[in-house]
Amino acid sequence: MSLSARRVTLPAITPLVLQKRVIKVYSEDETSRALEVPSDVTARDVCQLLILKNHHVDDHSWTLFECVPHIGVERTIEDHELVMEVLSNWGMEEENKLYFRKNYAKYEFFKNPMYFFPEHMVSFATETSGDIAPTQVLQMFLSSSTYPEIHGFLHAKEQGKKSWKKIYFLLRRSGLYFSTKGTSKEPRHLQFFSEFGTSDIYMSLAGKKKRGAPTNYGFCF
């Protein structure tokens, strides 16, 4: 038996080179720091980098925020989000900023979910959940694929109108709904408001002053 070998030329492998970009991150005292980061940097990566550069203690509360001053809102950028994707949504003339500061409630929901909603606001959407205590619903949500329903009143304002109305809302896995008839949960009385697959939730910084909101606390999608 004879063996023969054939020389095989493999194609050249081009290494993947990540582009770098300089971003500016502000602190609470409005001082800023420029960072050169790769295009795939996450919010958590930026926080870790700033913790090291500023010699902070990493107590897991350091957070990156997106601030949109011209409409008076901000939001927490989730740890896994790509910072460059956030920046790519900014308009050329917008004076948006990234802030680096502590958010002590960052992971609190996963530690003590029962503190976030009164018992009367939490239930399962199915009718067979009457034997499950409300205090167990959120714990089940965190430990399984079961999604609870959060319901209660919110003040809302339609686009183009000045007055705010107190409306009964329901938060479900499929999105946020509101009832067109009191606290009715019947499908014919529920109207879709927003989903979360492509929406971000921003906190209002000056809702009373800028929009005549009835409360200091507010949010928008």
Side-chain angles (χ1 to χ4, degrees):
M1 180 183 291
S2 63
L3 299 175
S4 63
R6 184 178 64 177
R7 184 175 181 179
V8 179
T9 303
L10 297 176
I13 299 176
T14 304
L16 178 64
V17 179
L18 293 173
Q19 294 182 341
K20 289 193 174 183
R21 180 174 171 180
V22 176
I23 62 173
K24 184 183 286 188
V25 184
Y26 290 81
S27 300
E28 284 186 296
D29 60 2
E30 292 300 324
T31 58
S32 63
R33 186 159 194 162
L35 299 173
E36 185 180 33
V37 294
S39 57
D40 65 342
V41 70
T42 65
R44 182 59 181 165
D45 294 334
V46 173
C47 287
Q48 288 292 322
L49 184 59
L50 287 169
I51 288 170
L52 291 173
K53 286 184 175 293
N54 295 320
H55 306 289
H56 292 318
V57 175
D58 186 6
D59 58 0
H60 304 292
S61 63
W62 289 104
T63 309
L64 200 63
F65 288 84
E66 176 190 9
C67 182
V68 188
H70 72 283
I71 56 175
V73 296
E74 72 171 19
R75 74 177 182 97
T76 297
I77 302 178
E78 299 290 337
D79 284 347
H80 65 274
E81 287 189 71
L82 297 177
V83 176
M84 295 310 170
E85 286 189 2
V86 175
L87 299 183
S88 68
N89 292 323
W90 292 2
M92 294 295 293
E93 299 181 358
E94 295 177 358
E95 297 181 355
N96 300 353
K97 295 180 179 179
L98 294 176
Y99 278 91
F100 173 67
R101 65 174 185 265
K102 286 194 173 187
N103 175 14
Y104 291 104
K106 186 175 183 179
Y107 301 117
E108 193 61 26
F109 177 77
F110 300 97
K111 299 175 183 176
N112 300 296
M114 68 290 298
Y115 294 164
F116 281 75
F117 302 102
E119 290 187 5
H120 68 274
M121 290 178 60
V122 183
S123 64
F124 281 119
T126 60
E127 298 297 329
T128 59
S129 60
D131 58 339
I132 302 177
T135 53
Q136 295 178 296
V137 174
L138 290 174
Q139 290 287 3
M140 291 180 65
F141 164 60
L142 294 176
S143 60
S144 69
S145 59
T146 305
Y147 286 80
E149 176 183 275
I150 312 296
H151 42 80
F153 283 95
L154 294 172
H155 289 94
K157 185 177 72 169
E158 294 181 42
Q159 188 172 2
K161 294 189 177 182
K162 294 183 178 180
S163 61
W164 291 76
K165 292 183 179 180
K166 197 172 184 180
I167 302 174
Y168 191 72
F169 278 85
L170 298 95
L171 177 62
R172 293 177 173 174
R173 180 179 183 178
S174 56
L176 185 64
Y177 301 81
F178 67 90
S179 178
T180 59
K181 187 177 181 181
T183 58
S184 173
K185 296 183 181 180
E186 293 186 30
R188 61 194 177 100
H189 294 146
L190 295 184
Q191 187 166 328
F192 180 76
F193 186 81
S194 178
E195 54 83 39
F196 305 104
T198 57
S199 300
D200 292 315
I201 301 176
Y202 289 80
M203 302 297 301
S204 176
L205 300 178
K208 273 193 170 183
K209 182 179 180 180
K210 289 193 172 186
R211 296 176 179 81
T215 63
N216 288 317
Y217 178 85
F219 58 94
C220 63
F221 298 95

